[in-house]
Amino acid sequence: MNYLPLSWTVSENYLFNNTVQSTKYCWLSEVSIQKNKDITTSFQSIFENYSSNVIIKGCNTEIKNILEKRGFASMQLGLEAVIDTNCNTFEKKSLLKLVNRGLKKGEIIKLNYSEENKSLLNEFLKTYHHAKEPQLKNLFITKFNPGNKLYVLKKDKHWLGAVLVSNNSIDKIHTELILRTHNSPVGTIESIIYAIYNDTVKQNIRYLSLGEVPFINQINYSSDSLYTILSTISGRFLKFAYNYKGLQNFKAKFNPMWEPVYICTSKKISFRLLLFLLVESNFLQLIYYKLVSKNNIF
């Protein structure tokens, strides 16, 4: 097993669990496990601590199969964009042109965790282009922790864009927060991802994950679960609130492999469980905000 669920991390020193709990559910949204520890053993020790319905989001097919053998239910929610660093995705001229445009506007710096750098990221979060909207949470790492690195395109003292990354395994880096401002120059995020890609190659790490895009499953009505079909169709109706198609198009620039991503739960998939996830991720609040803004209620 090479990979953990998305936004789970491997670490030597910084070990933690971030759980979102109710009387019925326990969503393990962020978990850090000991580097080189077997994930099956880690699952066993984690599950022993929870008696309620355990939810794990961002599982790949291999993890899904392991959990299903333990009695878990699952549903596909989207696809993960993964770059194989053995293939030079930046050979594409159109992409390299965007990278160069970004690099002309500033310099890329890599920041380790510190309280000062954490404060700088928090200040930048107030200025990025979706800052006034309800913020999604628990779907990816949104806080600068000791186990993360932060890449920033910076001009003088001003941040033009930032990407927070985590170690999803010893062989995979995962992008978490991807941030830019309203007036960030063209190529900002592309240039930052280029820097992350180069560091990933230098560290002999095989894969760079650009993260998940929800709601883009190719529906198979004869084999997919009812909940997978409904979530995919619902996502298309909710594109006004969450532009998953724009996110897909952005990540497709890097010519990634597209891998299925699942939600796994220790009991069963239900509408109540999905509602719990929608509320605790702030997705319902985001939908309401977009509806209000669109119709000028306020």
Side-chain angles (χ1 to χ4, degrees):
M1 169 61 64
N2 291 324
Y3 316 119
L4 298 171
L6 297 183
S7 296
W8 287 35
T9 58
V10 294
S11 179
E12 294 182 354
N13 302 310
Y14 183 65
L15 304 179
F16 70 97
N17 290 354
N18 182 47
T19 61
V20 184
Q21 290 185 275
S22 69
T23 55
K24 193 173 181 65
Y25 301 110
C26 178
W27 178 8
L28 302 178
S29 63
E30 298 172 30
V31 177
S32 176
I33 69 170
Q34 188 70 45
K35 190 175 183 180
N36 297 322
K37 189 174 182 181
D38 177 70
I39 189 173
T40 304
T41 304
S42 298
F43 276 150
Q44 181 64 36
S45 61
I46 289 169
F47 297 156
E48 286 174 352
N49 294 325
Y50 303 103
S51 58
S52 55
N53 190 353
V54 174
I55 302 167
I56 302 175
K57 185 182 172 297
C59 299
N60 63 16
T61 301
E62 189 175 0
I63 295 172
K64 175 187 79 80
N65 292 339
I66 289 174
L67 292 175
E68 285 181 346
K69 290 178 182 178
R70 297 178 60 96
F72 275 60
S74 65
M75 63 170 280
Q76 186 179 350
L77 187 61
L79 297 174
E80 178 191 8
V82 183
I83 297 173
D84 185 341
T85 61
N86 282 349
C87 305
N88 187 0
T89 189
F90 289 94
E91 284 182 341
K92 190 164 67 171
K93 291 182 179 179
S94 59
L95 180 56
L96 198 56
K97 184 177 179 179
L98 287 169
V99 169
N100 289 330
R101 289 183 69 176
L103 292 175
K104 288 178 181 178
K105 300 298 182 179
E107 62 172 334
I108 305 291
I109 59 172
K110 181 172 72 172
L111 300 176
N112 294 319
Y113 173 84
S114 70
E115 285 299 319
E116 179 183 1
N117 290 335
K118 182 178 179 179
S119 296
L120 289 172
L121 175 60
N122 290 339
E123 287 301 309
F124 187 64
L125 280 165
K126 298 175 183 178
T127 67
Y128 95 109
H129 69 302
H130 291 302
K132 294 182 180 180
E133 301 172 4
Q135 301 301 299
L136 295 176
K137 59 182 183 179
N138 300 316
L139 299 175
F140 44 84
I141 296 174
T142 59
K143 296 180 181 179
F144 200 172
N145 296 318
N148 304 134
K149 304 289 185 186
L150 184 68
Y151 289 76
V152 177
L153 179 63
K154 181 179 179 183
K155 182 178 181 180
D156 300 324
K157 294 183 179 181
H158 302 290
W159 289 16
L160 304 177
V163 178
L164 187 69
V165 302
S166 63
N167 294 308
N168 183 247
S169 79
I170 60 173
D171 204 27
K172 184 180 180 184
I173 299 296
H174 180 221
T175 58
E176 303 283 354
L177 280 174
I178 299 178
L179 306 169
R180 62 178 179 83
T181 64
H182 283 290
N183 57 356
S184 292
V186 173
T188 292
I189 301 301
E190 289 86 352
S191 65
I192 297 175
I193 291 176
Y194 179 67
I196 298 169
Y197 170 87
N198 285 333
D199 276 359
T200 304
V201 172
K202 289 175 184 176
Q203 296 171 53
N204 293 316
I205 295 174
R206 178 70 183 272
Y207 298 108
L208 170 60
S209 170
L210 300 180
E212 178 185 352
V213 180
F215 311 129
I216 61 169
N217 313 311
Q218 296 296 320
I219 300 176
N220 186 332
Y221 289 97
S222 63
S223 61
D224 283 338
S225 73
L226 172 64
Y227 293 107
T228 293
I229 293 169
L230 288 177
S231 69
T232 303
I233 294 173
S234 298
R236 293 170 184 173
F237 281 107
L238 296 172
K239 193 167 69 171
F240 72 92
Y242 184 83
N243 185 13
Y244 69 90
K245 194 65 179 175
L247 186 62
Q248 179 188 15
N249 292 340
F250 169 76
K251 294 182 180 183
K253 293 180 191 177
F254 300 90
N255 194 30
M257 302 177 292
W258 293 98
E259 304 289 344
V261 179
Y262 301 87
I263 291 175
C264 296
T265 174
S266 59
K267 293 187 179 177
K268 65 178 182 178
I269 304 293
S270 65
F271 286 110
R272 184 173 178 178
L273 180 146
L274 296 178
L275 181 61
F276 170 78
L277 292 172
L278 288 171
V279 171
E280 295 299 334
S281 66
N282 248 17
F283 194 68
L284 278 186
Q285 292 89 325
L286 180 61
I287 292 170
Y288 175 75
Y289 174 87
K290 293 285 189 174
L291 284 171
V292 168
S293 301
K294 185 175 181 179
N295 292 291
N296 296 315
I297 294 175
F298 294 147

